[in-house]
Amino acid sequence: MELRLDRIPRSVELARAGDEILFSYVDERLLPEELLVRQTGSWEEVVDAIKTLAVRGAPAIGLAGAAALVLWVSRAESLAAIEEVAEKIATARPTAVNLRWGVERVLEAAKAEAATERGPACVADALYALVSEMQEEDERVNREMGSNGAQLLPSGARVLTHCNAGSLATCYYGTALGVVYAAAEQGKIERVYADETRPVGQGARLTTWELARAGVPVTLICDNMAASLMAQGEVDAVVVGADRIAANGDTANKIGTYGVAVLAREHGIPFYVVAPTSTIDPTLPDGSGIVVEQRDPSEVLPRAIDGVEVWNPAFDVTPARYITKIVTERGVFDPADILGE
Ligand code: MRU
């Protein structure tokens, strides 16, 4: 299989089209059947895309939230109106801290602009420039995490991952899959095992598609096969992303991650979390304060059954003690030292 990293998809982008500013996004609800890039100038559509998982993944929704606010600022008539919409965008999904982080970066800049005498066109230019910088920063940070994390993997690595923490979950390149791409460039990746990641199938639909497209050998497994695969000695490392990391290293990530971490510990396999510092929430001493999003029962049970209730949390929290290292753009850390310099 030929490595084709030039085929890594770009999932979200704020761009100019003539005088207009438009947000482009891969509609991930349609993958792997169809690669459709939608374009919109409506912040409401961006919020809907975030809620319905057309745009998903912590860094990608952070950028999308920032972009949505830029789209609104050019129409808003007052700072109060900007703040009101900023709150609606920031609360579109509760768990990934990156969403509020992205919105607040634009909100702070909008407030600073409001304090000047500059006209709306200049304000829009300034905020557009900020989001463009955030996009570049996302790719740079992902590449740095990739090179920091790749050094943890042995040559001939067989890596298990959960959910999609790839280019499709960021602006470009990915967090956990960024490590895979960097290691693949060094010739170290034998294979990636992708958990299907019930109920929405981000592993089955997205990680498999993204890796196959980039020419990285990938094998899909059902979530309940990971234990057996590990017991057979087929996994050298687990590499996952994160949606929010508390000050003590407890990490929220896609539902099922905690189980994989416990299995990895039982089998003596290192468990690595890869996330930018924007995913760290220093205000939370530990993971008990992380709000876990509850999603619609129909994701688990498409046709309701009378008398049957469904529990559908989108995330779980892996206690820091199960995490071997956390990789950020700043380096490789013991979970307890994640706030350290
Ligand atoms: O519900 P999603 O698909 O937005 O879930 C978020 C994630 O993509 C994952 O939890 C991922 O592993 C971390 S984000 C890079």
Side-chain angles (χ1 to χ4, degrees), residues 2-10 143 167 172-173 181 185 210 213-216:
E2 191 199 352
L3 193 61
R4 291 288 310 273
L5 297 190
D6 56 309
R7 285 169 54 81
I8 296 173
R10 188 169 289 279
R143 288 185 185 275
S167 200
Y172 187 71
Y173 203 68
Y181 293 137
E185 271 192 307
E210 180 177 330
R213 190 177 155 89
V216 177

Side-chain angles (χ1 to χ4, degrees), residues 305-317:
I305 302 172
D306 264 358
V308 175
E309 290 185 7
V310 169
W311 185 58
N312 184 19
F315 302 94
D316 57 25
V317 177

